[in-house]
């Protein structure tokens, strides 16, 4: 009995916690249009269960970076790795199947379709699997929309539309447990001030209680500082700083990048 135990122990370190590759790793990630480089040589990793906020002034390249990760655009150079596996040559639907899910900067729902139908559609779009009504209800419960399932999505407030998009994201993979990595592009955009707190709580639930891995672009700095484990700052396509929120926000280079903008 001792020998197999010893060999199992010697094989263990490679798979042990901490030595596994990060959920997402960007290596020298670059995207150019003609002579203009929009994202330049970005090195960044998001660890298991981490919420990393990506911030930066308008036009910094944040959405472009999301497009490179989700597959809307292919990098000019560099690599995108999901759990250590290169995915940057795969089309968006293949990346979605592997567990990269995203929401978009502007809200998009079908006004006449019900809330529950949206979740059902999202589950089928990528996974081609049928979902039971109870499963749809379960997903809606997690984003605090359980009571709105039968209503047309067009009647939802902006905050509730954002929650619906999160529900669709949770249902949008072949994995019942939801996406491996969630990319949220400005989840608070267009959301009324009085709805920000509840939407923040939904994202906190996904992160803290469900242990999900999230990369979030957000301009609301109070939300960023409330939720983020780490912050990365993009400026003119270059990663200016990344690290714990206090250190990053105190960085003089970061403050200069935001000169003239309210931080
Ligand atoms: N397909 C494209 N062709 C040319 N330029 C582009 C293209 N897509 C984005 N850009 C440019 O890349 C820059 C970064 O845009 P991006 O949308 O990524 O910024 P952002 O950081 O998401 O800004 P915001 O905070 O306003 O959403 C902008 O100058 C934009 O005009
Ligand atoms: Mg953007």
């Amino acid at each position: 009995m001792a020998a197999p135990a010893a060999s199992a122990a010697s094989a263990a370190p490679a798979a042990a916690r901490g030595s596994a590759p990060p959920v997402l790793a960007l290596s020298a990630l670059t995207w150019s249009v003609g002579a203009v480089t929009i994202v330049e040589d970005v090195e960044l990793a998001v660890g298991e269960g981490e919420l990393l906020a990506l911030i930066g002034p308008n036009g910094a390249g944040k959405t472009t970076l999301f497009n490179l990760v989700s597959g809307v655009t292919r990098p000019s150079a560099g690599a995108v790795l999901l759990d250590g596996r290169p995915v940057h040559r795969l089309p968006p639907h293949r990346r979605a199947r592997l567990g990269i899910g995203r929401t978009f900067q502007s809200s998009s729902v079908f006004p006449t379709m019900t809330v529950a139908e949206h979740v059902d559609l999202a589950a089928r779009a990528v996974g081609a699997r049928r979902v039971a009504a109870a499963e749809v209800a379960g997903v809606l419960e997690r984003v605090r929309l359980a009571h709105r399932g039968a209503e047309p999505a067009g009647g939802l407030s902006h905050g509730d539309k954002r929650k619906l998009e999160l529900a669709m994201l949770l249902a949008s993979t072949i994995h019942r447990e939801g996406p491996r990595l969630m990319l949220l592009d400005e989840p608070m955009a267009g959301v009324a001030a009085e709805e920000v707190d509840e939407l923040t709580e939904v994202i906190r639930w996904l992160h803290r209680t469900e242990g999900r891995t999230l990369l979030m672009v957000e301009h609301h700095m109070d939300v960023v500082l409330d939720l983020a484990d780490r912050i990365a700052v993009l400026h003119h396509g270059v990663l200016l700083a990344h690290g714990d929120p206090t250190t990053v926000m105190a960085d003089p280079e970061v403050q200069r990048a935001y000169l003239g903008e309210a931080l």
Side-chain angles (χ1 to χ4, degrees):
M1 290 304 285
S7 69
S10 63
R17 272 180 84 91
S19 60
V23 174
L24 177 72
L26 309 179
S27 169
L29 192 65
T30 300
W31 189 64
S32 307
V33 189
V36 185
T37 300
I38 310 282
V39 170
E40 190 171 354
D41 223 7
V42 169
E43 300 276 339
L44 192 63
V46 187
E48 176 93 54
E50 183 175 39
L51 192 156
L52 178 69
L54 178 66
I55 66 168
N58 291 115
K62 305 179 297 295
T63 296
T64 303
L65 189 138
F66 270 26
N67 289 341
L68 290 166
V69 174
S70 66
V72 175
T73 37
R74 306 237 178 133
S76 312
V80 177
L81 297 113
L82 183 71
D83 289 314
R85 172 189 172 168
V87 296
H88 51 273
R89 291 192 187 85
L90 301 177
H93 69 275
R94 292 276 309 279
R95 298 194 207 185
R97 287 183 73 100
L98 289 172
I100 297 178
R102 80 176 281 188
T103 63
F104 289 86
Q105 192 163 349
S106 40
S107 215
S108 52
V109 297
F110 300 103
T112 57
M113 257 172 59
T114 70
V115 168
E117 283 166 349
H118 276 81
V119 176
D120 188 53
L121 183 75
R124 290 189 215 187
V126 174
R129 65 179 174 96
R130 300 202 71 82
V131 278
E135 197 184 337
V136 171
V139 171
L140 290 175
E141 178 82 46
R142 285 151 68 196
V143 301
R144 304 188 185 189
L145 272 184
H147 54 299
R148 315 297 295 269
E151 295 176 28
L156 297 179
S157 68
H158 280 294
D160 283 348
K161 281 181 183 149
R162 291 311 217 176
K163 288 191 224 159
L164 175 55
E165 287 162 355
L166 291 174
M168 292 170 73
L169 193 52
L170 291 170
S172 72
T173 77
I174 50 171
H175 314 288
R176 280 189 193 273
E177 64 274 20
R180 180 81 178 116
L181 171 72
M182 294 175 81
L183 307 170
L184 310 183
D185 197 352
E186 299 197 32
M188 302 297 163
V191 174
E194 61 270 22
E195 291 189 298
V196 167
D197 283 352
E198 191 173 77
L199 194 50
T200 302
E201 288 316 313
V202 169
I203 297 171
R204 196 195 316 282
W205 168 274
L206 296 174
H207 172 42
R208 294 281 176 210
T209 309
E210 296 195 7
R212 296 187 171 281
T213 306
L214 297 114
L215 179 57
M216 177 180 83
V217 168
E218 189 46 67
H219 281 290
H220 282 63
M221 281 313 295
D222 45 350
V223 172
V224 166
L225 294 172
D226 189 9
L227 289 175
D229 299 313
R230 281 192 305 140
I231 295 179
V233 186
L234 203 61
H235 185 43
H236 297 312
V238 175
L239 201 64
L240 267 193
H242 60 99
D244 74 88
T246 314
T247 311
V248 167
M249 299 321 289
D251 187 318
E253 263 203 276
V254 172
Q255 304 216 341
R256 262 197 303 280
Y258 273 98
L259 213 63
E261 292 197 22
L263 250 192

